[in-house]
DNA sequence: ACCTGAACACCGTTCAAGT
DNA sequence: ACCTGAACACCGTTCAAGT
């Protein structure tokens, strides 16, 4: 493990434990036994370090595809895994999709690769008629937008009135897939 | 206009012009011609001031309902207005749905009231068969989740590969309503 | 090439003091 | 009741200096 990796890991740990406010360059340096400005030898600035944390997060392995699995069910499982990740690691989720003032090639590429895997899963589901036909990129965008929005609203408690109306993010994923199934049956 | 309102307005203006980093208590105080800690006489701390900014944003008037409008079309227009607002004022959008460490009764109530109006619009659309039946809170959550996620992903450029795949947030709202229309026709 | 320590400008917050 | 000015602890960043 390089010092660079140590710094990224320490930043991720601090983020999980204390939220974004806990991720200071001084705390990161201390976690790896270095001074508070050692990170500047590996990253341009703090945002560059955070971009590396976000990239690492996007490169996490997706759910394994077992041969024989129904591609439509696998796609739905992928959407639910996305929601589960967001709810379990809110700080990482907010970081990845937060407001970046500087473009990071590493982050852009990781995000593109991650969505590419999702597009492949959509294509496979379309091949067996599990989801509506049409531009796979657009169907992917539809599913991702719903999963993303459901997770983000749930994190803020904005999904449904407390007690009133049962609407977990998981339920909404089910609802969307049910709508897509009837649309596919009809067309 | 009270001094309190002046402070909230100044914070909102700073947010729009320079993003969250520009909203410092010193800048807010200077904008209204007061010292850098005058805000403490009106708000508990910085987050409390930001909560007031977010509440004000949630209390903005929604699209007017003209008599004779198709309730389903009005509902779709409301969803698109939500997306338009998020894309036009990204900093306000991110603030409202950001990570709040302290609960604000004012913010909670404003959010609840805002979603309540949406639920009413869903109920009206259901009454004329424009959208699927079922728990209005849940249908609302489905539509809001999609609109919210589409807007948030679009702001980060994560909606579709550049050039490849046409998927504006507006298109995704259309797609969802098309799915709901076919489901309603079938059921 | 990588790291340190001092320094700078800035920030949120507190507090004693003023009217 | 509302505001000010000084002060405190903290932060990101820079820079000269060390190995």
């Amino acid at each position: 493990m390089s010092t660079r990796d140590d710094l990224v890991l320490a930043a991720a740990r601090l983020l999980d434990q204390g939220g974004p406010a806990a991720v200071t360059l001084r705390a990161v340096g201390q976690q790896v036994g270095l001074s508070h400005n050692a990170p500047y030898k590996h990253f341009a600035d703090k945002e560059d370090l955070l971009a590396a944390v976000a990239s690492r997060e996007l490169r996490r392995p997706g759910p394994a595809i077992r041969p024989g699995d129904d591609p439509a069910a696998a796609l739905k499982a992928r959407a639910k895994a996305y929601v589960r990740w967001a709810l379990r690691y809110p700080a990482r989720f907010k970081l990845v999709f937060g407001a970046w003032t500087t473009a990071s090639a590493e982050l852009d590429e990781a995000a593109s690769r991650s969505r590419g895997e999702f597009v492949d899963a959509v294509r496979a589901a379309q091949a067996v008629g599990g989801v509506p036909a049409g531009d796979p990129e657009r169907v992917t965008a539809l599913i991702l937008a719903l999963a993303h929005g459901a997770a983000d609203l749930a994190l803020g408690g904005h999904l449904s009135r407390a007690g009133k109306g049962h609407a977990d993010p998981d339920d909404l994923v089910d609802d969307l897939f049910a709508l897509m199934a009837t649309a596919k049956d009809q067309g």
Side-chain angles (χ1 to χ4, degrees), chain A residues 4-166:
Chain A
R4 193 193 135 100
D5 292 335
D6 285 338
L7 292 167
V8 173
L9 190 64
R13 209 183 327 249
L14 287 164
L15 182 67
D16 282 341
Q17 289 171 355
V23 187
T24 69
L25 293 182
R26 283 168 167 84
V28 169
Q30 189 187 344
Q31 282 264 339
V32 303
L34 294 174
S35 80
H36 68 282
N37 48 15
Y40 282 97
K41 308 307 158 183
H42 302 270
F43 303 95
D45 51 22
K46 183 182 181 181
E47 194 181 29
D48 194 34
L49 167 61
L50 292 178
V53 174
S55 299
R56 191 186 77 113
E57 197 58 26
L58 282 172
R59 272 187 260 103
R60 83 196 182 283
I65 304 158
R66 292 173 305 185
D69 270 5
D70 172 26
L75 176 62
K76 197 199 221 178
R78 190 176 280 271
K80 291 199 176 186
Y82 182 92
V83 168
R84 210 175 313 122
W85 163 71
L87 296 185
R88 180 155 184 175
Y89 303 103
R92 302 187 196 177
F93 174 68
K94 294 272 187 190
L95 173 71
V96 167
F97 297 102
W100 299 95
T101 66
T102 303
S104 156
E106 185 190 1
L107 179 56
D108 284 350
E109 195 230 327
S112 179
R113 216 181 54 94
S114 172
R115 200 187 49 253
E117 286 180 22
F118 215 103
V119 175
D120 291 341
V122 165
R123 240 186 285 264
Q126 284 179 319
V128 300
V131 298
D135 183 355
E137 295 264 359
R138 180 143 165 187
V139 176
T140 298
L142 181 68
I143 299 170
L144 275 183
L146 177 91
H148 183 93
D152 203 26
L153 289 178
L155 286 175
H158 297 124
L159 210 46
S160 69
R161 216 168 326 189
K164 277 213 63 174
H166 181 63

